[in-house]
Amino acid sequence: MGDIITAGVLVIGDEILSGRTKDKNIGFIADYLTNIGIDLKEVRIVADDEADIVAALNALRARYTYVFTTGGIGPTHDDITADSVAKAFGVGIDHRPEVVERFKERYKKPGELNEARLRMTRIPDGAELIQSATILAPGFRIGNVIVMAGVPSIMQAMMDIVAPTLRAGERMLSESVRGDCREGDIGTPLRAIAEAHPDTTIGSHPFLDENGKSNTRLVVRSRDQAKLTAAMDAVRAMLVGLKAAQ
Amino acid sequence: MGDIITAGVLVIGDEILSGRTKDKNIGFIADYLTNIGIDLKEVRIVADDEADIVAALNALRARYTYVFTTGGIGPTHDDITADSVAKAFGVGIDHRPEVVERFKERYKKPGELNEARLRMTRIPDGAELIQSATILAPGFRIGNVIVMAGVPSIMQAMMDIVAPTLRAGERMLSESVRGDCREGDIGTPLRAIAEAHPDTTIGSHPFLDENGKSNTRLVVRSRDQAKLTAAMDAVRAMLVGLKAAQ
């Protein structure tokens, strides 16, 4: 058995909390982490407020193997993630010379490399950059915290860069089956199956199907393929029995 | 000036954290609360785990005027929200007779009103039901916590029921303008405008426009229309000046 690697996600941004922008990053990161064997355990969304960011970040980084943040690393006054991360870690923050050099290459017109743009070159002391030829304003990693952009395409590029550097967990395997039944019809036998298969997690997720009827998707998860198969077999047998009885 | 009414949201469900289900409730609730003058300050997503739910709920309910939860009130073994809420409040939980009566009306076939379905009639002591003719399994409110379904259509119906009972805040007003500029071009003057307009919040949100170019949406928020207008005028004047200089 490999280690269990856990993660928290911290989404930073007033625009998500006001509803003006709909988050597209949480679902992407959740899928991504599941695929590389990291268990996402908690997500928080907080405003562009230093005290809120610091408190959430300190809670999450103490608790999980990794913390991924999105948002707040742009050039404007409401982009305070880098400063908040430095504060949470109790380290300084300054213009990182190698990033300033790249910005000088990119912004050559008079006045273009202004104070606002230079703000994006400020990186907490000791942090490693997350960058590529196509990412101008870098993300960074400090300790177990990975700081990424809020714009989905850039965040996704940063995930691809940072993922190979993460400790890989033993991957959570999962299988699902459409129940074609109402949750209430299977709750009692499903509980018995869940109790009889301790190293699995069995989820029951109601949805309205294409006919507008209450339906249920059953999901079995385990890190052990044999245990997963045994539990899934029991779930399928229960569904067959249910149909026969109807 | 009216009161500032704040809220937290707690989304409960393994399926969101695994990525299998993409949350659709956070954005809806964020819009809804903004429209009724309640400031959403924080969102958390946690697993179907009693200790995690209790800890998150206690943190949020101590901090905000209201807490809205979604998910985990169905009939299966992984639906533990009602029990977790009772535990967080230190109260008992039992089958609520009036809900059991409604279930008896609805499930008349032999065996249909099983243990699993009856599980949905368990309501923490002292909680008020959130129900209607079309909602069979009720949500509930206890103290400042509003417990709702995870299925979006049901959650939305519950929001409509509970909203008129909430203390209305003074509504946050907002206006936005498309900058047709890169964030880095306006960061410095925008900061000056933000500092000169203290009772407003000015956000700058980068996006890729229809031509694939970096663009910026500027959002000014305030509870005071005159202050909002003054700040927005300053933002527009800055944008006009920027274009004239180019």
Side-chain angles (χ1 to χ4, degrees):
Chain A
M1 293 283 286
D3 290 343
I4 306 295
I5 314 289
T6 59
V9 163
L10 179 60
V11 173
I12 298 162
D14 289 352
E15 70 277 20
I16 307 292
L17 293 170
S18 74
R20 184 173 287 275
T21 299
K22 299 296 180 281
D23 170 79
K24 295 190 178 82
N25 292 333
I26 295 170
F28 178 89
I29 298 174
D31 282 335
Y32 203 110
L33 295 178
T34 296
N35 283 333
I36 61 175
I38 294 177
D39 284 3
L40 177 57
K41 303 293 276 184
E42 182 175 354
V43 176
R44 298 193 191 186
I45 307 175
V46 299
D48 299 316
D49 177 282
E50 186 178 91
D52 289 353
I53 298 169
V54 169
L57 191 64
N58 280 337
L60 294 172
R61 74 189 180 96
R63 189 155 185 203
Y64 305 114
T65 316
Y66 297 112
V67 179
F68 299 83
T69 81
T70 67
I73 63 168
T76 52
H77 63 283
D78 55 345
D79 291 304
I80 60 170
T81 296
D83 287 86
S84 303
V85 171
K87 189 156 193 170
F89 278 87
V91 301
I93 179 167
D94 205 350
H95 299 283
R96 182 70 61 97
E98 68 176 285
V99 184
V100 174
E101 285 308 308
R102 292 189 64 198
F103 273 55
K104 282 183 180 167
E105 285 296 309
R106 171 70 180 74
Y107 296 113
K108 290 185 169 172
K109 292 180 199 158
E112 222 181 10
L113 188 51
N114 54 27
E115 184 192 328
R117 288 212 165 87
L118 279 171
R119 192 169 160 74
M120 293 192 284
T121 71
R122 297 173 75 248
I123 305 289
D125 296 346
E128 296 165 51
L129 301 176
I130 301 173
Q131 59 184 350
S132 73
T134 57
I135 298 172
L136 183 69
F140 57 86
R141 174 174 170 177
I142 179 167
N144 63 339
V145 175
I146 292 111
V147 175
M148 304 187 292
V151 174
S153 59
I154 304 174
M155 184 280 293
Q156 292 170 17
M158 289 178 173
M159 276 298 285
D160 283 336
I161 294 167
V162 81
T165 71
L166 303 175
R167 287 168 60 204
E170 188 170 9
R171 196 175 156 194
M172 181 67 83
L173 308 169
S174 82
E175 285 182 36
S176 73
V177 61
R178 175 175 160 137
D180 283 329
C181 60
R182 296 170 300 177
E183 267 201 307
D185 290 328
I186 53 160
T188 307
L190 194 68
R191 173 185 292 272
I193 293 171
E195 286 169 358
H197 295 268
D199 288 330
T200 65
T201 305
I202 303 183
S204 166
H205 309 309
F207 67 101
L208 293 180
D209 67 20
E210 59 283 1
N211 301 315
K213 285 184 64 177
S214 294
N215 204 323
T216 306
R217 187 171 296 108
L218 297 159
V219 181
V220 181
R221 304 176 78 213
S222 178
R223 289 192 157 80
D224 182 314
Q225 181 64 57
K227 288 176 178 171
L228 173 64
T229 302
M232 199 65 195
D233 287 348
V235 168
R236 288 184 199 277
M238 173 197 72
L239 292 172
V240 169
L242 188 74
K243 264 162 216 153
Q246 278 171 344
Chain B
M1 293 281 288
D3 290 343
I4 306 296
I5 314 289
T6 60
V9 164
L10 179 60
V11 173
I12 297 162
D14 289 352
E15 70 277 20
I16 307 292
L17 293 171
S18 74
R20 185 173 287 276
T21 299
K22 300 297 179 282
D23 169 78
K24 295 191 178 80
N25 292 332
I26 295 170
F28 178 88
I29 298 173
D31 282 335
Y32 203 109
L33 294 178
T34 295
N35 283 333
I36 62 175
I38 294 177
D39 284 2
L40 177 57
K41 303 293 277 183
E42 182 175 353
V43 176
R44 298 193 190 186
I45 308 174
V46 299
D48 299 316
D49 178 282
E50 187 178 271
D52 289 353
I53 297 169
V54 170
L57 191 64
N58 280 337
L60 294 172
R61 74 190 180 95
R63 189 158 185 200
Y64 305 113
T65 316
Y66 297 113
V67 179
F68 299 84
T69 81
T70 67
I73 63 168
T76 53
H77 63 282
D78 55 345
D79 290 304
I80 60 170
T81 297
D83 287 86
S84 302
V85 171
K87 188 153 194 172
F89 278 87
V91 302
I93 179 168
D94 206 349
H95 299 283
R96 182 69 62 96
E98 68 176 284
V99 185
V100 174
E101 285 310 308
R102 293 189 63 199
F103 273 55
K104 281 182 180 167
E105 285 296 309
R106 170 70 180 74
Y107 296 113
K108 289 184 168 172
K109 291 181 198 158
E112 223 180 10
L113 188 51
N114 54 28
E115 185 192 327
R117 288 212 165 86
L118 279 171
R119 192 170 160 72
M120 293 191 286
T121 71
R122 298 174 73 248
I123 304 289
D125 295 349
E128 296 164 49
L129 301 176
I130 301 171
Q131 59 185 350
S132 73
T134 58
I135 297 172
L136 183 69
F140 57 87
R141 174 174 170 176
I142 178 167
N144 62 340
V145 175
I146 292 111
V147 175
M148 305 188 291
V151 174
S153 59
I154 304 175
M155 183 280 293
Q156 293 170 19
M158 290 178 172
M159 276 299 285
D160 282 336
I161 294 167
V162 81
T165 72
L166 303 176
R167 287 168 60 203
E170 188 171 9
R171 195 172 158 199
M172 180 68 82
L173 308 169
S174 82
E175 284 183 36
S176 73
V177 60
R178 175 176 159 138
D180 283 328
C181 60
R182 296 170 298 178
E183 267 201 306
D185 290 327
I186 53 162
T188 307
L190 194 67
R191 172 186 293 273
I193 293 171
E195 286 169 359
H197 295 267
D199 287 330
T200 66
T201 305
I202 303 183
S204 166
H205 308 309
F207 67 101
L208 292 180
D209 67 20
E210 60 282 1
N211 301 315
K213 285 182 67 177
S214 294
N215 204 323
T216 306
R217 186 171 297 107
L218 297 160
V219 181
V220 181
R221 304 176 78 213
S222 179
R223 289 192 157 78
D224 183 313
Q225 182 65 56
K227 288 177 178 171
L228 173 63
T229 301
M232 199 64 195
D233 286 348
V235 168
R236 288 184 199 277
M238 173 196 72
L239 292 173
V240 169
L242 188 74
K243 265 162 213 152
Q246 278 172 344

